Amino acid sequence: MNAPVTEAELHAWVDGQLPPARRAAVDAYLSQHPAEAARLQAYRAHNAGLRALFNPVLDEPVPRALQRRPLQLPHWPLRMAAMLALTLAGGAAGWWLHDATQPQTDERVQQAALALPARAALAHAVYTPEVRHPVEVGADQQAHLVAWLSKRLGAQLNPPQLTAQGYTLEGGRLLPGQSGPVAQFMYRDGGGARLTLYVSTEQKQHRDTAFRFAQEGEVSVFYWLDGQFGYALSGNLDKAALGTLANAVYAQLEPPGE
């Protein structure tokens, strides 16, 4: 009798590190558990998005400021050291967002805000290239989409309409956040270019922020906090063009609780 499939084996399957002797058992398990299969495919897409965003950074030369000090780990390849730095940075962001029971200092507010555009850009890079499945629920089922995402996030969501700016709503999907679910709405213009609006309800500090701009690889992001809500509009556009669209989005969003 085959041994039960473990969570460690599922993660090894995602990373392509599963021993051949167990591959058939895990494949059979996933064929009988479509929800688990979908979860692991999302993990694979997440990994692919990380590589797409950060691989170019790993190949950049070391900045002069860092060259002035001897490396503490001289035998590590530069690529491995860079991956470690990214992992530690991601873990630090997760810590700031998770520690919601402590008083929120200005520094913690800033750290929470900085985590938002990176996650939004990653989700944008993963799903906008999709041809057949860019969204989970299409705009033709908008009422169902809004009700479903609102229920999962525990707050009423109202996706802005950007037809006046040349973009129509394609649909949306549910994504994992730092401590709970987040929503992604996707828009498309007549030429096929896509925008995504990432909506999180994980911002526990209840502090508003002004618009901020971030460049994550080739993805531009305008983001802001509004109470518990975090919004990030992402696209492969220049700062001015994306800023105009972000203003249109902001103008249509109702304040939380209203």
Side-chain angles (χ1 to χ4, degrees):
M1 183 176 181
N2 289 333
V5 173
T6 66
E7 183 69 14
E9 288 178 320
L10 294 178
H11 284 279
W13 183 91
V14 170
D15 296 331
Q17 301 297 321
L18 189 67
R22 289 292 291 165
R23 190 173 300 149
V26 173
D27 288 341
Y29 171 84
L30 293 176
S31 69
Q32 297 171 11
H33 297 80
E36 283 289 87
R39 176 171 72 97
L40 297 193
Q41 290 296 347
Y43 289 164
R44 278 189 167 178
H46 182 88
N47 291 344
L50 280 172
R51 288 191 292 270
L53 277 175
F54 295 118
N55 273 2
V57 177
L58 298 178
D59 294 329
E60 291 179 357
V62 178
R64 289 185 177 180
L66 297 180
Q67 293 177 0
R68 295 172 185 171
R69 294 183 179 182
L71 291 175
Q72 297 299 313
L73 298 172
H75 299 296
W76 281 27
L78 177 60
R79 193 177 188 84
M80 185 181 297
M83 286 300 295
L84 176 61
L86 289 173
T87 301
L88 293 176
W95 169 257
W96 290 116
L97 284 175
H98 176 72
D99 191 16
T101 60
Q102 300 298 323
Q104 299 296 329
T105 64
D106 289 341
E107 184 179 0
R108 292 189 177 190
V109 172
Q110 183 179 13
Q111 290 288 346
L114 290 176
L116 184 64
R119 297 184 68 86
L122 174 59
H124 179 91
V126 167
Y127 293 108
T128 54
E130 287 288 333
V131 177
R132 296 185 61 185
H133 304 290
V135 297
E136 283 184 274
V137 180
D140 57 334
Q141 303 179 61
Q142 184 171 335
H144 166 62
L145 171 67
V146 171
W148 170 52
L149 293 179
S150 296
K151 180 178 179 180
R152 291 304 307 273
L153 269 68
Q156 182 60 44
L157 303 182
N158 295 294
Q161 300 301 313
L162 299 174
T163 52
Q165 288 75 32
Y167 288 84
T168 58
L169 180 68
E170 276 195 281
R173 64 171 61 246
L174 189 71
L175 296 172
Q178 285 290 118
S179 59
V182 300
Q184 182 193 62
F185 295 104
M186 188 176 293
Y187 300 82
R188 183 171 179 167
D189 71 4
R194 283 168 167 159
L195 294 172
T196 55
L197 178 63
Y198 184 94
V199 184
S200 165
T201 56
E202 301 176 307
Q203 319 307 315
K204 304 301 184 184
Q205 73 280 349
H206 295 279
R207 294 278 299 276
D208 298 350
T209 68
F211 274 11
R212 296 180 181 179
F213 177 77
Q215 189 72 40
E216 302 285 344
E218 296 182 356
V219 182
S220 301
V221 185
F222 265 103
Y223 63 104
W224 64 98
L225 306 183
D226 192 358
Q228 75 180 101
F229 288 80
Y231 299 98
L233 185 69
S234 304
N236 296 85
L237 298 170
D238 61 43
K239 183 176 180 179
L242 189 64
T244 298
L245 291 163
N247 276 312
V249 169
Y250 181 80
Q252 296 182 53
L253 295 174
E254 294 183 358
E258 295 188 5

